[in-house]
Amino acid sequence: MSNLTRITEFILFGLSSRPEDQKPLFALFTVIYLVTLIGNLLIILAIQSDPQLQSPMYFFLRVLSLADMCYTTVIVPKMMVNFLSEKKTISYAECLTQMYFFLVFGNVDSYLLSVMAIDRYVAICDPLHYVTVMSHRLCGLLLTFSIIFSYLHSLLHVLLVNQLTFCASNVIHHFFCDVNPVLKLSCSSTFVNEVVAKTEGMASVMAPFICIIVSYLRILLTVLKIPSATGKRKAFSTCSSHLTVVTLFYGSISYVYFQPLSSYTVKDRIATINYTVLTSMLNPFIYSLRNKDMKQGLEKLINKIRYQKDRLSSAWSIKIHGP
């Protein structure tokens, strides 16, 4: 061990090592990244500009859209650079930084989804007290807890990874610095890392998931008591978008992380794309296409943009040609 040198950089294997795949993958993920940024930005601007979308549910949706933009930005730009680069390296410090913020925004997403489930539970099961229960103070506290806990959780895992020794291969068989592929490269014991991942890590993922399950069980019991079929459909429609996102997010996370470290394969890289890239891209479509208020908010925003564009065009025309 005394003759070992500390690795200063890693090589990201990526999604494919075939040269002919690199440019098509670059084009694909460029489109996905732009759609993700534009879609989530439109959601944020629509909620910000529409007075009818100032409820706690849309407050958390706005924060979720911002977190999704950051989540994707942590991963995709580096992927795109590597698609066009022969030397697909990432420095040790940059790798740990990417891992840290990936864990931060992934956990923020997870906790925001659980908070949104609580919001739907209060709205459906206790509508008369919704305004007083989901107050600005409680929303602020829930958001603050989600962010602080996510930062501390991520810091713990990154500090543990930083204690490991990497002395053999420096090729990460993944498209970014995820925890499991990096742990597989360590030539020192990863026992503590795996114990923490299976205890604290699993608890941090399962706690919001259990909160979501309990909230929706209570919602289901309440909705089943509604006498009219129209009332039931209306209640379920307010939850359908959120349930779709939860299924996409937690389904792929469960597949990737709830298995032994030794069995981490190429299928896990593909599954990781679902919750790191595709879910963030699909969220704006899911929430806008299945939500009437959100549709109306986006229509108002687009009309405002068109109006401002027409005003600028008219002003520019007058400036050039005269009145």
Side-chain angles (χ1 to χ4, degrees):
M1 293 293 289
S2 61
N3 293 328
L4 298 176
T5 57
R6 188 177 181 86
I7 285 177
T8 58
E9 66 178 20
F10 294 103
I11 298 172
L12 292 169
F13 185 82
L15 292 173
S16 172
S17 60
R18 297 166 59 188
E20 62 269 24
D21 293 338
Q22 304 307 303
K23 288 184 179 179
L25 285 172
F26 173 82
L28 173 64
F29 280 92
T30 299
V31 172
I32 290 174
Y33 185 54
L34 290 175
V35 170
T36 301
L37 293 183
I38 294 169
N40 283 288
L41 184 60
L42 284 174
I43 293 288
I44 293 169
L45 293 175
I47 295 171
Q48 182 70 31
S49 62
D50 192 344
Q52 293 182 343
L53 300 178
Q54 301 306 309
S55 67
M57 179 176 76
Y58 295 109
F59 166 74
F60 290 118
L61 176 57
R62 184 173 57 183
V63 179
L64 180 67
S65 293
L66 178 60
D68 280 340
M69 290 171 66
C70 296
Y71 196 29
T72 309
T73 301
V74 168
I75 298 168
V76 176
K78 183 63 178 177
M79 282 178 65
M80 291 163 60
V81 170
N82 285 344
F83 285 140
L84 301 181
S85 174
E86 292 184 9
K87 193 178 180 184
K88 306 176 189 300
T89 58
I90 183 169
S91 70
Y92 180 82
E94 189 181 357
C95 183
L96 290 189
T97 302
Q98 186 184 57
M99 183 187 297
Y100 175 71
F101 284 105
F102 157 72
L103 290 172
V104 166
F105 292 117
N107 277 276
V108 168
D109 265 15
S110 178
Y111 278 89
L112 283 174
L113 289 174
S114 69
V115 169
M116 292 169 79
I118 294 171
D119 174 82
R120 290 300 82 208
Y121 159 71
V122 177
I124 294 172
C125 300
D126 194 10
L128 296 178
H129 297 96
Y130 177 74
V131 176
T132 54
V133 173
M134 297 302 296
S135 62
H136 290 295
R137 182 174 180 274
L138 179 61
C139 291
L141 288 173
L142 289 171
L143 178 60
T144 302
F145 169 80
S146 301
I147 293 172
I148 291 176
F149 182 85
S150 298
Y151 272 88
L152 294 176
H153 162 83
S154 306
L155 183 62
L156 171 63
H157 285 272
V158 170
L159 288 176
L160 287 173
V161 170
N162 193 43
Q163 301 302 311
L164 300 176
T165 303
F166 301 94
C167 51
S169 172
N170 68 335
V171 179
I172 298 174
H173 289 271
H174 212 331
F175 54 87
F176 72 103
C177 289
D178 198 359
V179 178
N180 283 352
V182 172
L183 290 182
K184 288 185 74 172
L185 298 182
S186 175
C187 54
S188 56
S189 174
T190 59
F191 176 76
V192 174
N193 301 71
E194 293 184 56
V195 168
V196 171
K198 291 295 186 289
T199 53
E200 187 274 342
M202 188 174 290
S204 69
V205 173
M206 290 306 296
F209 184 67
I210 291 170
C211 180
I212 292 169
I213 295 296
V214 171
S215 296
Y216 274 107
L217 285 175
R218 298 291 298 274
I219 289 171
L220 180 61
L221 292 174
T222 301
V223 170
L224 290 176
K225 294 176 183 178
I226 298 175
S228 68
T230 304
K232 290 178 180 178
R233 281 197 301 270
K234 186 177 179 181
F236 276 126
S237 67
T238 64
C239 303
S240 59
S241 300
H242 182 258
L243 272 173
T244 304
V245 174
V246 166
T247 303
L248 285 171
F249 185 79
Y250 280 100
S252 49
I253 279 183
S254 301
Y255 178 82
V256 173
Y257 289 105
F258 293 169
Q259 58 178 312
L261 181 61
S262 58
S263 64
Y264 203 85
T265 63
V266 67
K267 291 181 180 179
D268 301 297
R269 294 207 299 270
I270 297 170
T272 303
I273 293 174
N274 286 337
Y275 70 87
T276 57
V277 179
L278 292 183
T279 302
S280 297
M281 182 188 72
L282 293 174
N283 277 359
F285 296 99
I286 293 169
Y287 279 104
S288 60
L289 294 176
R290 301 177 68 91
N291 187 304
K292 187 176 72 173
D293 293 336
M294 200 65 243
K295 278 184 186 178
Q296 292 174 350
L298 286 169
E299 287 174 3
K300 290 178 184 177
L301 176 65
I302 292 169
N303 289 333
K304 281 183 182 179
I305 293 171
R306 285 175 179 171
Y307 175 70
Q308 292 296 332
K309 183 181 177 182
D310 290 341
R311 284 189 63 186
L312 286 172
S313 297
S314 300
W316 184 253
S317 178
I318 291 171
K319 185 176 181 180
I320 294 175
H321 304 291

